[in-house]
Amino acid sequence: MSKYAIVTGNERGIGKALTVDLARQGYDVLVNWFESKEDGEQVVGECEEYGVKALLHYCDVRDFDQVRAMKEFALENFGKDLQIFVNNAGMSIAGKLIEQDPADYLTVMNTDLIGAMHCAHEFAPVLADNNKGRFIIIGSCSGIRSTLGNCAYGVAKAGIMGLTRGLAQELGPYGVTVNNIAPGYINTARSAAFCGPEMIAGIKRSQVLDRIGVEEYIVSAMNYLMDNPFVTGQTLMVNGGSLMF
Ligand code: NDP
């Protein structure tokens, strides 16, 4: 069996960019579709162009049984040599917490934080069994500085930092690193749909670098974490300097 990688929520955006780059590097990949099978098939096709095996699998990360089923599908079809797991699936529902329907903030928490915990519960032991590998979680700078009108998302992404530190301690003895990439604004189709030109100009003003974030910067952060065996439990902000600590 050859080496393989799993990225969740990879039918579009950052997840797709990470997956296609892993395929370019020769990893077999599992493509986790959620709302659009057609987009997932497109990602499979792009990965196959690099001569790797790419398989499509439906999974809603909010559902523990589906995450467990995705693990079983992976073990059956790719074997035990999982090298990289990237928890990328995420979403937000805008609204002030004090005005929001609890069903909305629960959806955000269940996707962005509980979904990540389900994935850690199921896939981290596979990496630990291999005594190597990388568990990477895509968080957000919103986990450090919650944005007004997006409180639940900030809470969930702050939780990701705790998950990263806790899981890093659990997996350290097995030589597996666990890190959180916290992007600032990244111009994916989904984020661009929410941000008009004025908002983008404001985001640029908040940064010290005069450029807009693109998926390749997150790909580059993933590759750094893949290469480095001595970085674990960290949050790596990729945000043009809009927030520093
Ligand atoms: P996209 O909406 O393009 O991608 C998110 C992916 O997650 C989609 O493929 C989506 O599927 C999938 N997804 C959503 N809910 C679930 C679920 N329950 N189960 C499985 N998959 C699911 O967003 P981005 O690429 O912009 O974001 C990717 C990650 O980066 C997210 O975690 C996001 O929070 C984080 N991030 C993004 C920033 C940005 O500016 N773009 C900034 C900071 C963090 P579908 O499309 O079918 O719903």
Side-chain angles (χ1 to χ4, degrees):
M1 287 281 184
S2 53
K3 60 186 183 179
Y4 75 100
I6 299 177
V7 180
T8 60
N10 51 356
E11 69 196 38
R12 68 180 89 246
I14 292 170
K16 175 180 176 181
L18 299 175
T19 306
V20 172
D21 190 71
L22 286 161
R24 180 190 63 76
Q25 296 181 51
Y27 288 89
D28 291 340
V29 289
L30 183 150
V31 177
N32 160 215
W33 72 280
F34 177 49
E35 282 179 340
S36 169
K37 189 172 188 185
E38 206 180 326
D39 287 341
E41 284 165 350
Q42 168 82 22
V43 180
V44 165
E46 286 185 38
C47 291
E48 284 174 341
E49 284 175 24
Y50 292 104
V52 301
K53 175 163 144 183
L55 296 178
L56 197 58
H57 184 77
Y58 174 82
C59 177
D60 178 344
V61 298
R62 292 171 297 181
D63 183 328
F64 178 78
D65 291 341
Q66 290 188 30
V67 173
R68 175 159 282 180
M70 180 161 70
K71 179 189 72 179
E72 281 157 9
F73 176 86
L75 292 175
E76 201 174 303
N77 290 280
F78 293 101
K80 290 183 178 168
D81 201 17
L82 175 65
Q83 314 248 320
I84 322 277
F85 187 95
V86 184
N87 189 103
N88 167 77
M91 51 85 74
S92 73
I93 301 174
K96 289 183 185 170
L97 184 74
I98 55 173
E99 294 166 359
Q100 200 164 34
D101 184 331
D104 286 347
Y105 63 67
L106 282 172
T107 299
V108 175
M109 294 299 291
N110 284 333
T111 307
D112 291 75
L113 182 57
I114 303 300
M117 292 177 76
H118 291 335
C119 289
H121 187 277
E122 289 304 289
F123 288 97
V126 180
L127 295 169
D129 277 350
N130 290 334
N131 282 296
K132 62 175 188 268
R134 303 283 181 262
F135 195 100
I136 297 170
I137 312 177
I138 308 299
S140 170
C141 285
S142 294
I144 299 158
R145 182 183 54 195
S146 271
T147 313
L148 177 62
N150 218 354
C151 183
Y153 183 72
V155 174
K157 296 295 191 181
I160 288 298
M161 292 195 287
L163 172 60
T164 301
R165 293 174 188 135
L167 195 63
Q169 293 175 69
E170 293 184 22
L171 297 193
Y174 303 95
V176 178
T177 69
V178 181
N179 289 289
N180 169 25
I181 298 173
Y185 177 78
I186 302 294
N187 194 36
T188 60
R190 185 69 59 95
S191 57
F194 286 105
C195 299
E198 262 180 45
M199 202 185 273
I200 304 256
I203 288 164
K204 260 178 131 178
R205 280 196 301 275
S206 76
Q207 300 175 178
V208 298
L209 296 174
D210 185 25
R211 59 175 67 221
I212 278 297
V214 290
E215 287 117 328
E216 286 69 26
Y217 301 150
I218 309 304
V219 170
S220 158
M222 174 187 73
N223 286 324
Y224 162 72
L225 293 173
M226 280 165 59
D227 281 349
N228 198 315
F230 200 54
V231 174
T232 197
Q234 305 301 317
T235 290
L236 173 58
M237 291 199 286
V238 183
N239 63 6
S242 61
L243 180 64
M244 305 179 191
F245 74 75

